[in-house]
Amino acid sequence: MDITFKDVGYTYQVGTPFESRALHEINLTLRDHAFTAIIGHTGSGKSTLVQHLNALLKPTSGTVTIGDRVITPETNNKNLKPIRQKVGMVFQFPESQLFEETVAKDIAFGPMNFGVSEEESLKRAKEMVQLVGLKDAVLERSPFDLSGGQMRRVAIAGVLAMKPEVLILDEPTAGLDPEGRRDIMGMVQRLHQENQLTVILITHLMEDVANYADQVVVMENGGVVKVGTPREVFSNVQWLRDKQLGVPETAAFADQLIKKGFQFKQMPLTETELADELLPQLPQAGRNDNVE
Amino acid sequence: MSNKLLLGRFIPGDSIVHRLDPRVKLLMSFYFVGIIFLADNWQTYLFLFLFTMVAILLTKIKLGFFIKGVRPLIWLILFTVLLQMLFSSGGTVYWSWGPIVISSYGVVNGIYIFMRFVLIIFMSTLLTLTTPPLSLADAIESLLKPLKVIHFPVYEVALMLSIALRFVPTLMDETEKIMNAQRARGVDFGEGNIFQQMRAIVPLLIPLFVSSFNRAEDLATAMEARGYQGGEGRSKYRVLSWQLADNLTILAFALVTVVLVILR
């Protein structure tokens, strides 16, 4: 299910003194089965953009095409449910959306809203709890007794239980410890590779972009300024710094090496790539020493 | 959602009215509600209307925003006006049907009540549009001070008020966020019959309460960590100052009262 933006603009609170334009002239296609990362400075319109993907916001100008549904400024608010089932959205700090008395019920809440039977929903809850790396025992506990990291996983499980085709994650690892971060990103990557899920990720962590994404969208002041593969986007270190964005540690290090006279066939984005590129360039003398 | 809630919002600006002492603005808004009942004929209403328009002009805020402030209350106003028109007798009777009478007295009274509503809303909108909520809280604290004599917890009330005001926008954002999150999970807000609508509120209310509790706990901890020990012996950062313009405002309102008494 491709999602296409055509000349999309969005203005908050039109017609009041608090009017503010969040998006303008967005033309963008998010391909089916792709892992897209959206990066940009805080307030660049990333979160506003993704809320168009499941019609939580309707464009104030232009059209958004989600699969075979076309969303225009005039689109009626009714009958948007099928879109929301296909496009699952995990908001920032999703743990604040938990409310049922048990974890199982909370995870089953989404599917049941879309007409899945209670029995089937609870079965899905069980599957999802395992998928996000929690133990079955958690199912009967209250979500408010859990730790922050566990609550986050339950919330994500609640979205996955709707079996969406597109998964949107707005900074899913914000405020988690390094291990929790790796776990969640690993899980997202598995879903992307094994279940062919389309993933759209908003993040400030360039390592995650380099490691997982195959398409990067760079946003600035409510507009899209660049779309490309991570390598294309990260190859121009200075340009990104001007946009107040970082580059992955590896790319930053490689950039330093380039200034010292090293040459790379392509910009290394991960540690492995960097090591592979560096090895043939190490002085011949050093190797000979080792042999002797 | 937040589009509709223009009533009670502050528009930053730099007009004479913006710079007035919030205590004066608050007192005079209440005073205005009082003196509006002095008006009892078309001359007095016209005079009050002109006075309000001058005050609005001085704020340098577009008249449209004041009219928008009336909009949420328009049904209440029309309802009251209609009641007044249909059920008060006296003067020439134009039309009658059982207990329902349209009389000249009723029509005139209806118009007066309409004017009263609109003028009061204009004035209170003027107060909230030109005064930051925190200044209002300061003003209330300052005005309640005499109540200390009867052991009224002035400081605590003021603190609660300013914290509450500070968190209104935060909670609104939070509400909107949770609403969106639940919508994304298939909840329809404001659809279906009354029971379905009430049930749809649960996934919004519980997270809101929970996050408010958490927020209160965090805030209390942070306040204690910064040395907060209660109201006694604290100094103030925002000090209200009474200036010439404030005296002039009071003078203007006194003059309005005099004119009203003469015209009535």
Side-chain angles (χ1 to χ4, degrees):
Chain A
M1 194 167 64
D2 284 356
I3 299 179
T4 310
F5 285 74
K6 192 161 181 298
D7 296 324
V8 169
Y10 187 79
T11 309
Y12 282 101
Q13 310 205 13
V14 181
T16 72
F18 311 103
E19 190 173 293
S20 67
R21 200 170 67 157
L23 295 178
H24 59 90
E25 287 162 49
I26 304 277
N27 284 295
L28 183 67
T29 301
L30 301 170
R31 274 177 289 107
D32 208 6
H33 307 311
F35 193 130
T36 307
I38 302 180
I39 59 175
H41 193 234
T42 309
S44 56
K46 308 184 291 291
S47 297
T48 309
L49 182 82
V50 293
Q51 289 186 46
H52 283 82
L53 300 176
N54 64 353
L56 283 174
L57 295 178
K58 289 179 294 178
T60 43
S61 63
T63 56
V64 182
T65 314
I66 307 168
D68 48 11
R69 285 290 295 268
V70 181
I71 308 287
T72 64
E74 290 82 31
T75 301
N76 199 307
N77 276 329
K78 299 227 159 102
N79 305 323
L80 294 174
K81 258 189 164 180
I83 294 182
R84 294 190 181 145
Q85 182 178 17
K86 281 185 186 156
V87 184
M89 175 135 178
V90 178
F91 279 80
Q92 267 175 54
F93 301 102
E95 51 273 28
S96 65
Q97 72 191 34
L98 304 176
F99 73 100
E100 286 277 18
E101 60 254 58
T102 66
V103 167
K105 278 190 186 174
D106 203 286
I107 298 177
F109 178 71
M112 279 167 70
N113 279 328
F114 293 112
V116 179
S117 72
E118 187 169 352
E119 202 186 345
E120 165 70 13
S121 302
L122 289 172
K123 213 179 90 197
R124 280 194 197 175
K126 208 167 173 182
E127 280 169 40
M128 292 307 154
V129 153
Q130 286 164 356
L131 188 71
V132 297
L134 293 173
K135 295 200 177 68
D136 275 358
V138 151
L139 280 169
E140 291 313 313
R141 290 176 64 186
S142 158
F144 301 112
D145 289 341
L146 304 178
S147 75
Q150 287 174 319
M151 283 168 86
R152 176 87 49 106
R153 286 162 196 243
V154 171
I156 295 177
V159 174
L160 291 175
M162 301 174 348
K163 302 249 160 104
E165 292 171 29
V166 180
L167 180 66
I168 307 168
L169 301 136
D170 193 346
E171 296 192 42
T173 60
L176 290 187
D177 57 74
E179 199 188 332
R181 257 188 353 227
R182 263 197 306 278
D183 283 355
I184 288 192
M185 285 315 297
M187 180 189 83
V188 171
Q189 192 184 26
R190 263 202 325 279
L191 284 168
H192 170 61
Q193 285 170 349
E194 291 167 16
N195 303 11
Q196 293 292 300
L197 210 60
T198 311
V199 178
I200 294 152
L201 172 77
I202 293 187
T203 186
H204 289 291
L205 299 171
M206 299 304 151
E207 272 67 35
D208 286 353
V209 179
N211 286 330
Y212 306 111
D214 32 59
Q215 181 180 230
V216 185
V217 175
V218 187
M219 293 193 65
E220 190 188 29
N221 290 331
V224 171
V225 284
K226 195 164 197 161
V227 181
T229 63
R231 205 176 304 283
E232 284 162 11
V233 171
F234 289 134
S235 58
N236 195 342
V237 176
Q238 195 50 47
W239 182 82
L240 277 165
R241 295 229 162 102
D242 291 344
K243 297 266 172 281
Q244 301 195 36
L245 290 168
V247 285
E249 294 279 332
T250 330
F253 185 60
D255 195 48
Q256 296 276 320
L257 290 175
I258 290 169
K259 284 181 186 143
K260 293 261 185 266
F262 281 81
Q263 278 172 354
F264 296 104
K265 282 199 250 14
Q266 54 180 10
M267 191 56 134
L269 293 181
T270 60
E271 287 92 340
T272 327
E273 280 177 21
L274 180 69
D276 286 348
E277 289 258 3
L278 276 180
L279 198 61
Q281 298 189 41
L282 288 178
Q284 211 60 37
R287 283 192 202 172
N288 291 342
D289 286 348
N290 273 343
V291 172
E292 283 168 16
Chain B
M1 188 171 91
S2 35
N3 284 352
K4 290 175 197 155
L5 274 166
L6 202 76
L7 189 78
R9 285 188 74 167
F10 166 64
I11 302 180
D14 186 36
S15 68
I16 303 169
V17 186
H18 276 92
R19 282 193 300 265
L20 280 181
D21 192 302
R23 283 171 295 186
V24 175
K25 278 189 270 186
L26 190 62
L27 276 182
M28 288 306 118
S29 302
F30 280 114
Y31 185 69
F32 185 80
V33 176
I35 58 171
I36 206 160
F37 289 100
L38 283 177
D40 63 351
N41 55 27
W42 69 267
Q43 291 98 329
T44 43
Y45 274 109
L46 182 69
F47 175 68
L48 277 180
F49 181 75
L50 290 176
F51 177 72
T52 312
M53 284 301 136
V54 170
I56 287 174
L57 268 183
L58 286 176
T59 63
K60 295 185 193 161
I61 296 172
K62 276 187 238 153
L63 185 63
F65 299 128
F66 290 87
I67 292 169
K68 271 196 188 125
V70 178
R71 209 179 284 163
L73 291 170
I74 195 73
W75 293 112
L76 179 73
I77 299 175
L78 287 183
F79 178 71
T80 322
V81 168
L82 268 183
L83 270 192
Q84 191 73 25
M85 274 194 174
L86 294 179
F87 292 102
S88 55
S89 49
T92 333
V93 175
Y94 302 122
W95 183 78
S96 75
W97 185 74
I100 300 174
V101 179
I102 293 186
S103 62
S104 60
Y105 182 77
V107 170
V108 169
N109 251 1
I111 293 172
Y112 285 172
I113 283 188
F114 180 78
M115 284 296 286
R116 226 177 257 173
F117 261 115
V118 169
L119 289 180
I120 289 175
I121 294 169
F122 274 6
M123 259 312 168
S124 47
T125 311
L126 183 141
L127 172 75
T128 53
L129 285 184
T130 61
T131 321
L134 278 180
S135 306
L136 267 185
D138 284 344
I140 291 171
E141 182 187 4
S142 168
L143 291 172
L144 288 181
K145 245 177 209 153
L147 290 181
K148 262 193 182 150
V149 186
I150 57 162
H151 299 295
F152 182 81
V154 174
Y155 178 79
E156 282 75 8
V157 169
L159 180 75
M160 280 193 276
L161 199 64
S162 36
I163 290 177
L165 285 171
R166 156 67 186 80
F167 279 101
V168 167
T170 315
L171 275 176
M172 296 261 290
D173 286 351
E174 181 98 14
T175 311
E176 189 124 355
K177 210 199 100 181
I178 296 173
M179 235 171 147
N180 275 338
Q182 304 298 24
R183 250 190 216 129
R185 294 212 284 168
V187 179
D188 289 318
F189 289 103
E191 277 176 40
N193 62 37
I194 185 121
F195 292 106
Q196 287 168 324
Q197 288 198 30
M198 270 156 63
R199 241 207 333 245
I201 296 287
V202 175
L204 175 65
L205 271 192
I206 294 178
L208 261 183
F209 274 116
V210 171
S211 87
S212 302
F213 283 130
N214 291 337
R215 215 182 278 280
E217 202 173 320
D218 290 347
L219 182 68
T221 314
M223 280 170 74
E224 276 188 346
R226 295 174 70 183
Y228 178 82
Q229 288 175 332
E232 287 312 312
R234 276 170 65 83
S235 55
K236 279 181 91 62
Y237 174 66
R238 293 186 306 269
V239 182
L240 301 175
S241 71
W242 197 281
Q243 277 153 349
L244 180 66
D246 301 307
N247 289 326
L248 290 179
T249 311
I250 290 182
L251 193 68
F253 272 88
L255 277 176
V256 168
T257 319
V258 171
V259 173
L260 278 183
V261 171
I262 296 169
L263 283 180
R264 67 183 260 142

